[in-house]
Amino acid sequence: MTVIESPWVHVRVYNEAKDGNRLSGDTYYIAEHPDFFLCAIADGLGNGPGAKESADVIPQILAEYADETIDQLLERCNDEMVYKRGAAVALVKVDYRQRTISYSCVGNVKFYMYQKKFDKMIYPLPVMGYLSGRKQKLRTQTYPVYAGDTFVLHSDGVMIKNPKELIRQARSADHLYERVMKGMEFGDDATFIAGRIKLNEL
């Protein structure tokens, strides 16, 4: 388990390989920078070493080019998928200065965010398909973000049956993590990132 806790965000990550596999075809990336937080999940097609090879491209790209926009980052990731199996990839960026959260995804990696201030669930739809080296249509979706907003980003190995109620009732990132874990049906590569926006609690 990986954790980031700062005055701005609190994030916990779960990542596990499919039963019987030593390697997970999912990978993730989380990093905090002075002005923003960036996280991602990549779900390599299939499972095992071929899936892992595709998924592992993503954290390498994000670590080197973190200051670029998330669609620029996705384009770089896509370019690296030539002659690989391919991957579904989602990126989420919290901009501390602008107080926004942005999401861009190609494939079946889902993002939910609950805004307590408005009792509102945000569920942006991903672009269908996967990164394969072929030109992709990308769509960044950006929303205002407030202290107390809670989110989860997850691969298709994680099933969340009633995301609004699950996230709405979470008191913290830790509590959200525990609630998602209770509903897990193990047996596939599975990764999720549970987070809470703090923004210095302003």
Side-chain angles (χ1 to χ4, degrees):
M1 182 185 65
T2 306
V3 179
I4 285 181
E5 185 164 12
S6 77
W8 301 96
V9 293
H10 180 195
V11 173
R12 289 180 66 176
V13 181
Y14 173 88
N15 174 249
E16 190 65 53
K18 180 177 180 178
D19 287 350
N21 284 354
R22 184 173 58 87
L23 300 174
S24 174
D26 288 357
T27 193
Y28 67 90
Y29 176 85
I30 59 171
E32 188 169 42
H33 298 263
D35 295 329
F36 64 91
F37 166 79
L38 181 64
C39 69
I41 290 176
D43 181 353
L45 267 63
N47 53 66
K52 178 175 173 54
E53 179 189 22
S54 293
D56 282 350
V57 166
I58 280 63
Q60 297 169 18
I61 294 290
L62 301 191
E64 187 171 354
Y65 300 101
D67 289 329
E68 295 186 349
T69 69
I70 56 177
D71 276 351
Q72 287 172 332
L73 291 168
L74 277 176
E75 288 174 353
R76 287 188 181 276
C77 294
N78 189 47
D79 290 343
E80 292 296 321
M81 292 297 166
V82 176
Y83 305 122
K84 293 184 177 64
R85 192 179 290 180
V89 180
L91 275 62
V92 172
K93 182 177 183 180
V94 181
D95 187 311
Y96 300 155
R97 291 182 181 272
Q98 299 296 322
R99 293 181 180 257
T100 58
I101 190 166
S102 298
Y103 162 87
S104 190
C105 176
V106 178
N108 192 23
V109 180
K110 295 181 180 179
F111 173 74
Y112 301 100
M113 183 172 75
Y114 175 69
Q115 294 191 314
K116 182 178 180 181
K117 182 176 181 178
F118 305 109
D119 189 26
K120 177 182 178 182
M121 173 67 83
I122 292 173
Y123 172 43
L125 295 176
V127 173
M128 299 305 293
Y130 59 94
L131 298 186
S132 63
R134 297 187 298 271
K135 186 172 178 60
Q136 294 284 350
K137 180 181 178 182
L138 303 176
R139 183 175 70 241
T140 296
Q141 297 165 80
T142 301
Y143 308 90
V145 73
Y146 305 90
D149 290 356
T150 308
F151 68 88
V152 62
L153 182 71
H154 70 87
S155 68
D156 64 359
V158 178
M159 305 300 293
I160 299 179
K161 295 179 181 178
N162 190 342
K164 184 172 183 178
E165 285 308 304
L166 183 142
I167 302 174
R168 185 182 192 179
Q169 293 173 18
R171 298 184 298 271
S172 64
D174 288 338
H175 190 211
L176 177 57
Y177 179 95
E178 291 162 4
R179 287 177 63 82
V180 175
M181 286 295 293
K182 282 182 181 178
M184 290 283 287
E185 295 179 2
F186 300 93
D188 196 0
D189 292 338
T191 304
F192 71 86
I193 300 173
R196 189 176 185 90
I197 307 299
K198 297 168 71 176
L199 295 179
N200 285 323
E201 300 297 345
L202 295 178

